[in-house]
């Protein structure tokens, strides 16, 4: 059986119920305020929810620790993992065997290094012959271009100065091109003037012959004098 709510005025009359009824009748407390207080969650429900949140946070923290451990294991796998350690041990063992062989043949190797190796043929296995042909082609090409490469490397410190000289030369070329264009225009104008003068000379000569035949004297005109001067220049 549910227990009576002491804050509900409709339940069995009690001191608290009577007091609330008096407050409701006087208007100090409304029925909505009482209904809101009824619908509020209980303390135990909030406590269980808080416990669930705490458990989830602890689980997330545990997963983050596991992820961090996996990352550390991945980063240190080449040091800790047995397969990587076995490979490193095998490599070290092969290097050790090679060094032991070198130490055993130390005297013969020293004599071989002291002896010049010019005009001798080095034995190369047949598998590597094609690679050696390609390597020799690359070596010949490199030697042919070595002087050009060295010259390019020598010119690198003077690159800025050369660029300045090139820019100045280009500016001079632009000026020369402009002057050449102006000179070409002047030559074309001069040719047109010479054509006009040469076309007017026969007319003037014909007029002078006509005047001499008829004994007509005319004062010299400035135009004719200019024409004579131009004809003399043309000759």
């Amino acid at each position: 059986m549910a227990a009576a709510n002491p804050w509900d005025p409709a339940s069995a009359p009690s001191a608290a119920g009577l007091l609330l009824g008096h407050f409701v009748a006087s208007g100090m407390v409304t029925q909505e305020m009482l209904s809101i207080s009824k619908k509020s969650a209980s303390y135990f429900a909030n406590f269980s929810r808080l416990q669930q949140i705490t458990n989830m946070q602890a689980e997330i923290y545990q997963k983050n620790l596991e992820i961090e451990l996996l990352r550390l294991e991945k980063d240190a796998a080449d040091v800790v993992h047995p397969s990587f350690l076995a490979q490193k041990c095998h490599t070290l063992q092969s290097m050790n065997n090679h060094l032991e062989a070198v130490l055993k043949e130390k005297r013969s190797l020293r004599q071989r290094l002291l002896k010049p190796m010019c005009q001798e043929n080095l034995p190369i296995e047949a598998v590597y012959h094609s690679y050696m042909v390609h390597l020799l082609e690359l070596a010949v090409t490199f030697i042919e271009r070595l002087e050009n490469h060295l010259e390019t490397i020598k010119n690198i410190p003077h690159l800025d100065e050369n660029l300045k000289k090139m820019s100045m030369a280009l500016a001079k070329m632009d000026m020369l091109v402009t002057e050449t264009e102006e000179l070409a225009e002047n030559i074309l104008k001069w040719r047109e003037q010479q054509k006009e003068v040469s076309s007017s000379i026969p007319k003037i000569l014909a007029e002078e012959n006509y005047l001499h035949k008829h004994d007509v004297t005319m004062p010299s005109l400035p135009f004719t004098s200019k024409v004579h001067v131009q004809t003399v220049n043309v000759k």
Side-chain angles (χ1 to χ4, degrees), residues 184-208:
E185 291 179 357
N186 294 330
I187 290 171
L188 291 175
K189 291 179 181 179
W190 180 78
R191 285 182 178 177
E192 291 178 357
Q193 292 176 358
Q194 294 299 320
K195 287 180 181 179
E196 292 177 357
V197 171
S198 60
S199 62
S200 62
I201 287 174
K203 294 180 181 179
I204 295 169
L205 294 174
E207 290 177 357
E208 288 181 353

